[in-house]
Amino acid sequence: MTDLAMLKISETNLDELATHAGAIAIFATPDGKLGLAARKLNALTKKAVARAVESTQFEKLKTGDAIALSFPAGIAAAKVIVVKLGRRPSVEDARKAGASIAKARGEADVLILGGNIGRMEDVALGTALRSYTFTPHKTGDKDTLGAIEVMVTAPSDLQAAADVAMAVAQGVVFTRDLTNEPANVLTTTEFADRLVELENLGMTVEVLEEDALEELGMGSLLCVGLGSASPSKVVVMQWNGGGDEAPFALVGKGVVFDTGGISLKPAGGMEDMTMDMGGAGVVAGVMKTLALRKARANVVGLVGLVENMPSDRATRPGDVVTSMKGDTIEVINTDAEGRLVLADVVWYAQDRFKPTGVINLATLTGAVIVALGHENAGVFSNNDDLTNGFMKAAQAEGEGAWRLPMSAAYDAKLKSRIADVKNVGGREAGSITAAQFIKRFIKDDMPWIHLDIAGVASVKAETALAPVGATGWGVMALNRFIADGYEAG
């Protein structure tokens, strides 16, 4: 797994500025004002910092952007990074500033002179997240993560917030690593094994194997993995940091590779289907963050792990399977497999844990990408209060989400001639009919959200806080959602 850049919070020490050998990051306000440490560095570099701040290049920078001075005279540092940032930045601007520092520093250790600037924990988070690279399968020189040191006026005031930020970063990195892994490495067994390791953080983890799933009647989930040599599994992660109250449930689709099954996908782009377990990856990352920061809440995370492969044993279009709920499902398209997995896992979550609410995540439909692109996840729900709470958390964390409609009128598209329901409803409103299918397995009084993250889980262009590839979208929003709505005071 990728190691997170080491973070140290320390008290401002001007005597160290001349001898730090890596990169040094300083901040200048939009009108060019420098803090005490930055002014000291300016004197050491024979006013190189002031010349940079007075330049047209700095003037054209947006808030949170940076310019770099290479090998400035008078100090040992190979680079000085000058970031345009106000004294009391927003969360978004602070994290953007951190990301700019990460991109400018390269592999070097970086000393960030924060002084008394606000939200330095978010600057550190942005630096840590944007420093991420996924290199376990490269055989040449691998990128190394240099340490991050943040010097501030009052380190004791920052330490607790920085610890929480790094817990969030570790959850995001865990999700990214899982989502980036190739399918020949991240098999269903390997995925489950990595989740079992979360027990070291105080979590309770169970792995339900195929015989247990058969006893539970999970015919919908099991039909997806019939064509694969990898066994289907459900992993249950329980974090009990609250009192005696019922937990909140997070459920993730974990298709470790999706060929489409007998309804085979086109060859072009199929290699991207290693990310089709992205929903399960987010659930895993959230659970890790909650455990690391010792969240005062009860949360259960459940993931259905399968591989969708064609073979002589694979489910065929036209087959009828029986879900744990008891509803029969006509499988029209074996490439609409994620909802078959979720149907059984969300029902099991409700049946066993009687949760206060359910949020499921899945890289479910291409239709949601057509509708929302790669900027927003699709949000579908039966409960306005739950949705408002999640949307507020997502907005606060800068993770794009957009609510899409649901209506019983769409259920007509899912009517089957020979079974209770069919698993697809045609091309029109594809992401909505997928949500309507899952809703069939949500009990009437259960607050529920379905997040279709097909467009945001893994991307072809870098984002504000992530390089190309897996983003870890959802970990920050769901962590805040739990903190704001379900933690004891």
Side-chain angles (χ1 to χ4, degrees), residues 86-433:
R87 309 298 293 176
R88 296 293 176 263
S90 66
V91 170
E92 180 181 5
D93 287 343
R95 291 177 182 176
K96 180 182 177 183
S100 295
I101 292 169
K103 288 189 283 187
R105 73 160 172 156
E107 299 179 14
D109 292 347
V110 62
L111 174 62
I112 301 174
L113 304 180
N116 60 0
I117 296 173
R119 301 198 183 280
M120 289 309 300
E121 70 275 15
D122 287 300
V123 173
L125 177 60
T127 305
L129 290 180
R130 194 57 186 84
S131 296
Y132 174 86
T133 58
F134 185 73
T135 60
H137 306 296
K138 290 184 176 291
T139 57
D141 292 336
K142 298 186 179 184
D143 294 335
T144 57
L145 289 177
I148 303 167
E149 181 176 359
V150 181
M151 278 189 176
V152 291
T153 305
S156 60
D157 294 343
L158 177 61
Q159 190 65 60
D163 289 344
V164 171
M166 289 303 101
V168 172
Q170 288 195 54
V172 172
V173 166
F174 189 43
T175 297
R176 288 179 183 177
D177 278 354
L178 291 168
T179 308
N180 278 325
E181 281 285 17
N184 64 321
V185 174
L186 194 73
T187 62
T188 56
T189 299
E190 173 65 16
F191 200 154
D193 288 346
R194 293 190 188 186
L195 299 186
V196 169
E197 292 177 3
L198 295 176
E199 289 181 331
N200 296 328
L201 302 178
M203 207 177 301
T204 300
V205 183
E206 303 169 71
V207 180
L208 305 182
E209 302 289 355
E210 286 185 342
D211 55 350
L213 303 182
E214 289 173 2
E215 289 182 14
L216 288 166
M218 290 194 186
S220 183
L221 179 148
L222 287 168
C223 84
V224 176
L226 289 177
S228 174
S230 291
S232 298
K233 303 171 185 280
V234 170
V235 181
V236 181
M237 298 162 279
Q238 296 182 66
W239 173 253
N240 295 313
D244 296 330
E245 70 274 11
F248 193 90
L250 303 175
V251 177
K253 166 192 170 184
V255 180
V256 295
F257 193 74
D258 182 20
T259 66
I262 297 297
S263 304
L264 194 66
K265 292 178 181 291
M270 193 190 290
E271 68 278 4
D272 294 333
M273 288 299 99
T274 57
M275 52 75 73
D276 209 24
M277 39 53 63
V282 175
V283 172
V286 176
M287 297 302 293
K288 183 170 186 175
T289 290
L290 295 177
L292 284 169
R293 68 175 185 81
K294 302 291 189 277
R296 298 183 304 276
N298 296 336
V299 182
V300 58
L302 304 96
V303 295
L305 307 182
V306 300
E307 185 177 38
N308 189 19
M309 297 286 283
S311 79
D312 60 336
R313 304 177 307 280
T315 297
R316 298 162 289 261
D319 284 359
V320 174
V321 299
T322 302
S323 67
M324 182 181 174
K325 177 187 175 186
D327 285 1
T328 56
I329 304 166
E330 183 184 8
V331 180
I332 301 297
N333 187 332
T334 64
D335 194 23
E337 84 298 330
R339 64 200 72 181
L340 298 174
V341 173
L342 291 172
D344 278 342
V345 184
V346 296
W347 188 263
Y348 176 73
Q350 295 167 93
D351 187 63
R352 176 178 172 184
F353 292 103
K354 310 296 189 293
T356 56
V358 177
I359 295 179
N360 72 256
L361 301 96
T363 49
L364 205 67
T365 67
V368 82
I369 303 175
V370 174
L372 300 176
H374 297 282
E375 302 301 321
N376 291 281
V379 181
F380 305 83
S381 182
N382 64 359
N383 186 283
D384 290 342
D385 289 340
L386 188 69
T387 301
N388 291 340
F390 172 76
M391 295 295 281
K392 181 180 178 181
Q395 183 177 19
E397 295 295 335
E399 295 194 309
W402 195 265
R403 191 174 186 180
L404 291 169
M406 297 188 71
S407 167
Y410 292 100
D411 290 337
K413 291 181 169 293
L414 297 173
K415 288 184 177 179
S416 167
R417 181 179 61 86
I418 62 173
D420 295 328
V421 66
K422 59 184 180 180
N423 75 324
V424 293
R427 291 179 60 84
E428 295 177 359
S431 58
I432 299 174
T433 55

